[in-house]
Amino acid sequence: MLKLQYRIFLAFLLFVLFPIIVLGAVSYHLSSLTLKKNIVEQTLRTLKAVDLNLASSFSSVDSFSDYVISSQEIHDFLKYNDKSFVKEFYSKRQALAGIMYGYSKVDDYILYSVTGNVYHFKNSRVLPYAKLQSTSFFRDMIQQKGRPVWLGPTENRSIVLNNKLFFTQGRVVKDLNTLENIGYLVINIKLEMLDRIYQDVRHSNSEELIINEQGKILYSFNHNHIGHTIPIRDLPQIVSGEEGALLNNWYGKKCLITFYPSRVDSFSNSKLILLSIKPWDDLSSEIDYIRNITIFIVISGVVFATLFNVIYLKRILSFLKEFVWNMRRVENGDLTVRMNHFKFFELEHLSLGFNKMIERIEKLLEEIKSEQERKREAEFRVLQQQINPHFLYNTLESINSLAALNGQREISNMTINLGKLLRISINGAYEVKVEDEIRHVMSYLEIQKIRYNNRFMFEIDVDEQLKDYFVLKLILQPLVENALYHAFDQERTDGWIRIKGRISHNQGCFYVEDNGKGMSNVVLNELQMESVSRKMKSKNRGHGISNVQERLKLFYGNQYGLMICSMENKGTIIKVSFPLYNKGG
C-alpha cells in the first residue's frame, strides 16, 4: 500500500491536475472541431461557386454543339458529302464560330457521316468511323438520341489518338425533317477551360480535383494527377452523393478532404465529385496557442504540487505518523502515551484532544474494573443460591431403587425416563444431537405409554447418518404430546405414532405420523398461517405445534419449520425441516 504522503500527492494530481488536463484537451478538441467546421463551410462555398462555373462552361460547349448539329449546311454536308457546304457554313458564320471556339477552348471537332466519311479542322489523326462504331461511346451517343455524351480525359483514350488530355463530347446529328441519324459530331475540349476556373481558387499547398464515382481523377490543376485513383480509404463516403468533409491521409500526410457532388449532369456514365484537399497542419496552426497554454498550466501545477508537498504536507504527515504510532500503542494497552506540541493551531488542538481522550479512557477503565468486580460478586451470590440439579438426579435414583426393591417396575421405568427427560431439559444449550432428541422423545413416550395403560404403540426409524447432526432441542416431544391429547379418544386402544428421521435435499427432516382423528380444514388452515399462532394459543389448540414452529423459524430462518398434512378420520403427518449442522450451536 502507498504511503499517505504519496496518496495525498496522487490525489492532488488526480483531482486538480487531471481536470486541468481534461479541460485543456476538451478545449483543444472543440477548437479543432470549430476550426474544421468553419474551414469546411468556407471550402464548400468555394466548391459550389466552382461547380456553377463548371456548369456554365460545359453548358457553353453544349450550346456550341447545338448550333453545329442544327446547321443546315452541316446537314447538307453529311447527307450529300459535299465539302463546299462546310466552307459556306464557315464563311457565313465565321464571326460567331470564332467567338465560340475561343471561349470554349475547342481543340477540334470531327464530323462522321453514316456513310463513313470523316471531316475535321485539324490534320491530326482521328478515329475511323468503323472503329468508332465499336466503342461504348458510340453506343451511348445512339442511346442519348442527340443529347450530349461526355467523356473525361482518361475515359476517352480509345477516341483520342494522341497523348493530349481532352474532355470529349459526342452527339448524334439527326435530320430535322425525318429525325433519322445522318451523322455524328465529336468535339475535343482543352483542359484550359477548367484551368481558367481553378487558377483563382487554388492555393500552393492544396489540391483541387474532379473525380468520378470510381475514384479516378478526371481533372486536376496539376495535370500529372489525371488518370490516377485517389489513395483514400473512405472513398464510399466521398462518392455517396452527400457533401461533407473528413480527415484522412493524402500521400502520407494528414489532410482535410472536403467533397461536394457536382450538379453537372452532362456526364451520363458517372457523377462528378469536386474535391479540395488541404494539409491539416497548415489549418490547425491557430489552435497551437491553446495547446501551449494547456501544457504551461499542467507544468505549473506539477511544480506547485511538489512545493506543496515539500513545504506543507511534510508537517501534516509528521503529525499523522506520530498520531498513528500513539494510537497503536493505545491499542496495545499503553495508556501512558501523550502527543507532543505542534506549531499549527489545528494540529495543536488535535494533540490536546488526544491527550484528554487518553486520560478519560484511563478513568473509565478504572470505573469498569470496579463495576465488573462488583458484578462478579453478585453473580457468585446468585449461583450459590441456585438448586444443584445433581441433588434432583440423586433423588430420582433413590426413588427408582425403592421401586425396584418393591417390585414396582412401572414406577421404576417412569423414574428412569423422567430422569432422562430432565437431563436434556435442564441442559442450557439450544441444540442437541439428533440421537439425544430421539432419546428424549422415546423417554416421554415410554412414560405416556405407562400412563395410558398401553392404549397406543409407537415406532421410531431414524437414519444412522442423521443421528450425529445437531437440531433444536425439544421439538418432537410437543408434537407427540399434541397427538396424544387431540388425536386419540380415551376408549381407543389401536392408536400408533410413527417417527421417522431422514436427510433430503441437504436438509434434516422428521416425520411425525399418527392414525388419529385428524384435523378439519378450518383448523389446518389456521395452523398453516404464521400470523395466527397466537390465536391458536388463546384457543388452547395447537399450542405445542405453534411453539415449535415459532422456535424453528426464529432460530433457523423462515425457510425451515413445520408442514402439516391431515384429513378428518385419516390421521396426521407433520414434517419438521432443519439445517444440517455437524456440531452444536
Side-chain angles (χ1 to χ4, degrees):
M1 182 179 292
L2 291 175
K3 293 184 178 180
L4 181 60
Q5 59 182 7
Y6 297 123
R7 280 184 282 169
I8 295 177
F9 184 72
L10 182 61
F12 184 84
L13 293 178
L14 291 178
F15 296 112
V16 177
L17 295 187
F18 181 73
I20 293 175
I21 295 173
V22 172
L23 179 61
V26 171
S27 301
Y28 181 83
H29 180 67
L30 293 178
S31 301
S32 300
L33 291 179
T34 303
L35 177 63
K36 176 182 174 183
K37 180 180 179 181
N38 294 336
I39 293 174
V40 168
E41 290 178 352
Q42 180 181 356
T43 305
L44 284 175
R45 286 194 295 268
T46 302
L47 292 179
K48 290 178 182 179
V50 169
D51 190 54
L52 290 176
N53 291 333
L54 290 176
S56 177
S57 297
F58 283 111
S59 177
S60 66
V61 177
D62 292 341
S63 298
F64 176 74
S65 61
D66 286 341
Y67 174 75
V68 173
I69 65 173
S70 63
S71 169
Q72 184 62 46
E73 288 79 1
I74 295 299
H75 285 199
D76 291 341
F77 164 73
L78 294 175
K79 288 191 291 185
Y80 305 114
N81 195 24
D82 189 346
K83 295 182 179 180
S84 63
F85 292 111
V86 180
K87 294 178 181 179
E88 184 178 352
F89 166 75
Y90 275 99
S91 64
K92 291 181 179 180
R93 296 167 177 83
Q94 183 178 2
L96 180 59
I99 293 174
M100 295 303 298
Y101 184 91
Y103 177 75
S104 60
K105 299 296 182 181
V106 175
D107 181 77
D108 193 6
Y109 70 84
I110 308 155
L111 288 171
Y112 293 91
S113 67
V114 294
T115 59
N117 293 314
V118 181
Y119 179 80
H120 62 104
F121 282 122
K122 293 187 175 182
N123 293 325
S124 58
R125 293 173 56 209
V126 297
L127 189 69
Y129 177 68
K131 291 186 177 181
L132 177 67
Q133 288 179 302
S134 64
T135 63
S136 60
F137 180 60
F138 181 83
R139 291 190 292 272
D140 290 341
M141 286 193 293
I142 298 296
Q143 185 178 1
Q144 291 299 320
K145 299 179 180 180
R147 290 187 293 271
V149 177
W150 282 89
L151 293 178
T154 61
E155 300 169 331
N156 59 9
R157 291 295 88 196
S158 61
I159 307 301
V160 180
L161 298 183
N162 55 42
N163 294 327
K164 293 184 178 181
L165 299 175
F166 300 111
F167 280 91
T168 299
Q169 185 198 83
R171 302 181 69 168
V172 174
V173 182
K174 290 182 175 291
D175 190 317
L176 297 179
N177 296 319
T178 63
L179 296 181
E180 294 181 355
N181 296 343
I182 60 175
Y184 307 93
L185 172 65
V186 177
I187 303 176
N188 291 328
I189 307 300
K190 297 179 181 180
L191 296 185
E192 283 81 352
M193 181 181 73
L194 275 66
D195 291 342
R196 185 176 58 186
I197 297 174
Y198 274 97
Q199 67 182 0
D200 294 331
V201 298
R202 68 178 302 273
H203 301 279
S204 59
N205 57 349
S206 65
E207 293 281 353
E208 282 73 32
L209 310 175
I210 301 176
I211 65 172
N212 59 16
E213 292 176 314
Q214 290 73 41
K216 185 166 289 187
I217 300 174
L218 302 182
Y219 172 79
S220 171
F221 196 83
N222 183 356
H223 295 176
N224 294 327
H225 293 325
I226 296 176
H228 294 86
T229 301
I230 58 174
I232 299 176
R233 64 176 181 273
D234 295 322
L235 181 62
Q237 181 179 351
I238 294 176
V239 300
S240 63
E242 301 291 334
E243 63 182 48
L246 53 86
L247 288 174
N248 211 317
N249 288 332
W250 175 260
Y251 291 104
K253 193 174 184 179
K254 186 178 181 181
C255 293
L256 177 65
I257 302 174
T258 309
F259 48 91
Y260 177 79
S262 176
R263 301 300 185 263
V264 175
D265 56 359
S266 301
F267 289 75
S268 58
N269 293 333
S270 178
K271 298 295 183 181
L272 302 183
I273 297 96
L274 308 185
L275 296 184
S276 176
I277 303 173
K278 299 179 180 179
W280 181 247
D281 291 340
D282 297 340
L283 300 175
S284 60
S285 58
E286 298 180 11
I287 60 174
D288 289 343
Y289 177 76
I290 298 176
R291 180 193 60 198
N292 295 336
I293 289 296
T294 303
I295 294 174
F296 174 76
I297 293 175
V298 171
I299 294 175
S300 300
V302 172
V303 173
F304 175 76
T306 304
L307 294 176
F308 178 79
N309 180 56
V310 171
I311 298 175
Y312 192 75
L313 282 184
K314 278 193 173 181
R315 297 184 180 181
I316 297 177
L317 293 174
S318 176
F319 166 81
L320 292 177
K321 287 180 180 179
E322 181 178 343
F323 187 84
V324 171
W325 172 253
N326 289 334
M327 285 295 295
R328 289 176 179 173
R329 292 177 61 185
V330 172
E331 289 176 358
N332 294 327
D334 184 3
L335 297 180
T336 62
V337 298
R338 295 294 183 270
M339 291 288 293
N340 295 320
H341 296 284
F342 290 86
K343 295 182 179 180
F344 292 160
F345 172 77
E346 294 82 0
L347 302 183
E348 178 65 16
H349 184 70
L350 290 174
S351 298
L352 292 176
F354 177 84
N355 295 337
K356 290 180 180 179
M357 179 187 68
I358 298 301
E359 293 173 0
R360 179 59 179 164
I361 290 175
E362 283 185 304
K363 294 180 181 179
L364 289 175
L365 286 176
E366 291 177 359
E367 294 176 359
I368 291 173
K369 288 179 181 179
S370 176
E371 182 179 350
Q372 290 294 329
E373 189 66 27
R374 292 193 300 270
K375 183 177 180 181
R376 281 195 297 270
E377 292 177 359
E379 289 178 351
F380 182 75
R381 287 194 298 270
V382 171
L383 290 174
Q384 282 184 325
Q385 297 174 1
Q386 291 180 347
I387 297 175
N388 188 346
H390 293 288
F391 171 76
L392 182 58
Y393 298 149
N394 294 334
T395 302
L396 290 175
E397 289 294 332
S398 299
I399 295 173
N400 176 47
S401 300
L402 290 174
L405 290 174
N406 290 284
Q408 300 294 327
R409 186 173 299 277
E410 291 182 348
I411 295 175
S412 175
N413 290 337
M414 291 182 70
T415 303
I416 293 173
N417 289 315
L418 180 60
K420 294 178 181 179
L421 286 175
L422 289 175
R423 288 182 186 276
I424 295 178
S425 301
I426 295 176
N427 179 16
Y430 292 120
E431 291 180 303
V432 294
K433 283 189 175 181
V434 170
E435 60 180 355
D436 294 331
E437 178 68 10
I438 294 298
R439 189 179 298 114
H440 176 273
V441 74
M442 288 179 62
S443 300
Y444 174 79
L445 285 169
E446 291 289 349
I447 293 173
Q448 294 292 60
K449 190 175 180 181
I450 297 173
R451 177 186 175 191
Y452 281 90
N453 197 22
N454 294 321
R455 291 202 308 246
F456 72 91
M457 302 293 294
F458 68 88
E459 177 185 346
I460 296 178
D461 179 17
V462 180
D463 290 346
E464 289 296 327
Q465 58 183 344
L466 182 63
K467 290 182 178 181
D468 290 330
Y469 288 100
F470 281 76
V471 68
L472 193 66
K473 72 178 182 180
L474 300 178
I475 59 173
L476 292 179
Q477 182 264 330
L479 304 182
V480 172
E481 181 181 1
N482 186 77
L484 292 175
Y485 288 168
H486 299 289
F488 303 130
D489 295 329
Q490 293 183 357
E491 64 275 6
R492 186 168 180 175
T493 61
D494 61 344
W496 53 261
I497 296 174
R498 183 180 295 118
I499 300 174
K500 296 180 181 179
R502 300 288 185 266
I503 295 177
S504 176
H505 300 94
N506 295 323
Q507 289 184 351
C509 298
F510 288 130
Y511 300 90
V512 180
E513 183 179 0
D514 65 70
N515 64 340
K517 56 186 177 182
M519 304 180 189
S520 66
N521 290 334
V522 175
V523 174
L524 187 62
N525 290 335
E526 290 178 349
L527 284 174
Q528 296 286 38
M529 297 173 59
E530 297 178 3
S531 61
V532 299
S533 60
R534 297 185 181 275
K535 293 183 180 180
M536 300 310 301
K537 293 178 182 179
S538 65
K539 294 179 181 179
N540 197 23
R541 180 174 56 189
H543 177 90
I545 295 177
S546 300
N547 179 277
V548 172
Q549 175 78 317
E550 289 183 7
R551 287 194 294 129
L552 285 170
K553 289 188 176 295
L554 286 173
F555 197 79
Y556 293 129
N558 290 328
Q559 66 269 38
Y560 302 100
L562 304 182
M563 179 182 293
I564 305 173
C565 297
S566 181
M567 293 180 62
E568 289 189 274
N569 300 320
K570 297 292 183 180
T572 301
I573 299 177
I574 301 177
K575 176 184 177 182
V576 183
S577 61
F578 58 93
L580 295 177
Y581 292 156
N582 55 11
K583 60 180 179 179

